[in-house]
């Protein structure tokens, strides 16, 4: 059976706590499936767990996620307990979003070493293994290259059984393969995101399908059970071509890259609706994280396409 479209949105906070809670309620009323938070130590984003716990208390259907937690910032035993507590508080609405980290300024601000990519990916792989065991076993001892624990417990036990779903954001081959092996939700991102400007081959449906082929190969028989996701940075405008030219000049990239990108929705509400539908047709992605200043104005898109 074909998987249905659903939507999340990403928010790092609001000017006040009152506005944060009000926005969470509005997003739920609009029909967004999930409120996700980024995890950067610079740039003003709020801390995930307190903010999502507060959002849980004023909503009843809105799922609570991370896009994505940097694995290097937290001990997986401690993080598992925090997520389990959030799952109980929210009555089973948590999605565990994890990544290997990529933004060097985050590491500079904390004093945490910014290791090579392959080391960060290997450390994330160990953390995922350990956290899955903590969610599903009463007592865990673990001896890895990066993490060691003796007789660890994760309390409370999660409402979602056997555990909350894991979302892994992945762009490069190692991360895509890890996500294929371990994640229930794979959020594909451009290769080398944040390191270099995207090339056309990175962001077109053809490029995304090549990435998903790596996920499929690593996942094997479980691929059809994986929910495929991506972010879409949305700019509402009545003049799509002019806006593409302006965004390309600002980002110092080829307008063709901006205009053809899976990760960019530019145009009217109707054009955004068609963009989402086209990406779904051409890649199989069904879980879209809409980002940018126009999230609430996209209510017609969320209403029309959710569940289709």
């Amino acid at each position: 059976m074909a998987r249905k479209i659903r939507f999340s949105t990403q928010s790092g906070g609001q000017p006040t706590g009152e506005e944060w809670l009000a926005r969470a309620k509005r997003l739920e009323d609009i029909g967004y499936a999930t409120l996700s938070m980024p995890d950067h130590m610079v740039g003003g984003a709020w801390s995930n767990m307190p903010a999502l716990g507060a959002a849980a208390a004023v909503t009843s259907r809105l799922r609570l996620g991370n896009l994505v937690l940097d694995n290097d910032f937290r001990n997986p035993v401690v993080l598992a307990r925090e997520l389990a507590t959030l799952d109980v508080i929210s009555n089973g609405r948590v999605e565990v979003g994890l990544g290997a980290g990529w933004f060097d300024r985050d590491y500079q601000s904390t004093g945490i070493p910014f290791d090579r990519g392959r080391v960060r990916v290997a450390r994330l792989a160990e953390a995922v293994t350990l956290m899955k065991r903590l969610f599903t076993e009463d007592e865990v001892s673990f001896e890895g290259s990066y993490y060691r624990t003796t007789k660890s417990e994760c309390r409370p036990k999660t409402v979602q059984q056997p555990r909350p779903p894991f979302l892994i954001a992945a762009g490069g081959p190692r991360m895509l393969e890890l996500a294929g092996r371990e994640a229930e939700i794979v959020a594909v991102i451009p290769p080398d995101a944040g390191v270099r400007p995207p090339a056309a081959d990175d962001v077109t449906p053809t490029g995304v399908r090549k990435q998903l082929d790596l996920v499929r190969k690593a996942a094997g028989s479980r691929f059809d059970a994986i929910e495929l996701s991506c972010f879409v940075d949305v700019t509402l405008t009545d003049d799509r071509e002019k806006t593409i030219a302006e965004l390309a000049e600002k980002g110092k990239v080829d307008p063709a890259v901006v205009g053809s990108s899976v990760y960019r929705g530019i145009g009217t509400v109707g054009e955004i609706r068609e963009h989402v539908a086209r990406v779904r047709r051409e890649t199989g992605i069904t879980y879209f994280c809409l980002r940018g200043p126009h999230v609430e104005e996209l209510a017609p898109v969320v209403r029309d396409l959710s569940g289709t």
Side-chain angles (χ1 to χ4, degrees):
M1 185 174 67
R3 190 179 291 275
K4 306 296 186 183
I5 288 177
R6 64 181 181 132
F7 293 94
S8 67
T9 190
Q10 186 185 46
S11 179
Q14 289 289 293
T16 67
E18 182 179 8
E19 289 171 273
W20 172 255
L21 300 181
R23 187 158 196 249
K25 290 189 282 189
R26 290 198 305 274
L27 293 172
E28 181 174 70
D29 290 342
I30 287 170
Y32 281 96
T34 309
L35 170 59
S36 290
M37 297 191 70
D39 189 38
H40 293 299
M41 303 303 294
V42 296
W46 289 7
S47 176
N48 274 235
M49 296 306 168
L52 291 176
V58 297
T59 57
S60 60
R61 302 180 307 278
L62 190 68
R63 293 183 66 78
L64 309 161
N66 325 101
L67 195 62
V68 284
L69 294 172
D70 187 326
N71 175 66
D72 287 342
F73 297 162
R74 296 166 184 83
N75 179 287
V77 178
V78 176
L79 180 58
R81 182 181 66 169
E82 292 183 352
L83 289 163
T85 301
L86 181 61
D87 198 60
V88 170
I89 288 172
S90 66
N91 195 29
R93 290 185 276 145
V94 166
E95 293 175 1
V96 181
L98 294 172
W102 63 272
F103 190 31
D104 56 357
R105 280 285 290 112
D106 284 336
Y107 287 79
Q108 293 166 10
S109 73
T110 59
I112 296 172
F114 187 49
D115 292 324
R116 291 182 304 166
R118 66 179 61 191
V119 173
R120 287 181 279 120
V121 173
R123 190 158 47 227
L124 173 61
E126 274 196 16
V128 170
T129 297
L130 176 52
M131 289 176 65
K132 285 184 175 182
R133 289 188 59 193
L134 287 162
F135 284 137
T136 57
E137 299 176 25
D138 291 331
E139 186 177 270
V140 176
S141 294
F142 182 87
E143 185 77 18
S145 299
Y146 304 99
Y147 301 109
R148 298 171 182 82
T149 184
T150 302
K151 296 183 178 180
S152 291
E153 299 179 359
C154 181
R155 299 287 187 277
K157 286 303 179 185
T158 59
V159 171
Q160 296 179 90
Q161 289 296 315
R163 55 174 175 76
F166 278 64
L167 177 154
I168 294 179
R174 288 188 180 89
M175 282 295 293
L176 291 163
E177 290 164 3
L178 172 62
R181 294 194 305 269
E182 299 289 351
E184 283 74 43
I185 307 167
V186 175
V188 64
I189 61 176
D192 296 323
V195 177
R196 61 174 176 83
D201 290 344
D202 293 338
V203 297
T204 62
T206 299
V208 170
R209 287 196 298 268
K210 289 178 180 177
Q211 289 176 292
L212 294 177
D213 284 343
L214 295 178
V215 175
R216 181 181 289 104
K217 184 177 179 179
S221 61
R222 64 182 292 273
F223 179 76
D224 287 343
I226 295 174
E227 186 173 31
L228 303 178
S229 180
C230 74
F231 68 80
V232 180
D233 288 326
V234 175
T235 304
L236 286 182
T237 175
D238 291 328
D239 192 336
R240 186 172 188 272
E241 295 307 315
K242 179 182 178 182
T243 302
I244 288 172
E246 292 171 346
L247 290 170
E249 182 177 2
K250 182 178 180 180
K252 295 181 171 56
V253 296
D254 186 337
V257 174
V258 177
S260 63
S261 176
V262 165
Y263 307 99
R264 288 277 195 176
I266 303 167
T268 63
V269 167
E271 287 172 320
I272 304 304
R273 184 188 294 109
E274 176 52 32
H275 175 85
V276 171
R278 183 171 63 252
V279 171
R280 192 260 192 96
R281 286 195 306 269
E282 297 183 6
T283 68
I285 289 170
T286 58
Y287 189 13
F288 294 89
C289 180
L290 306 181
R291 309 195 306 189
H294 306 294
V295 163
E296 294 187 35
E297 297 170 69
L298 296 171
V301 177
V302 174
R303 181 191 62 237
D304 293 348
L305 295 183
S306 291
T308 63

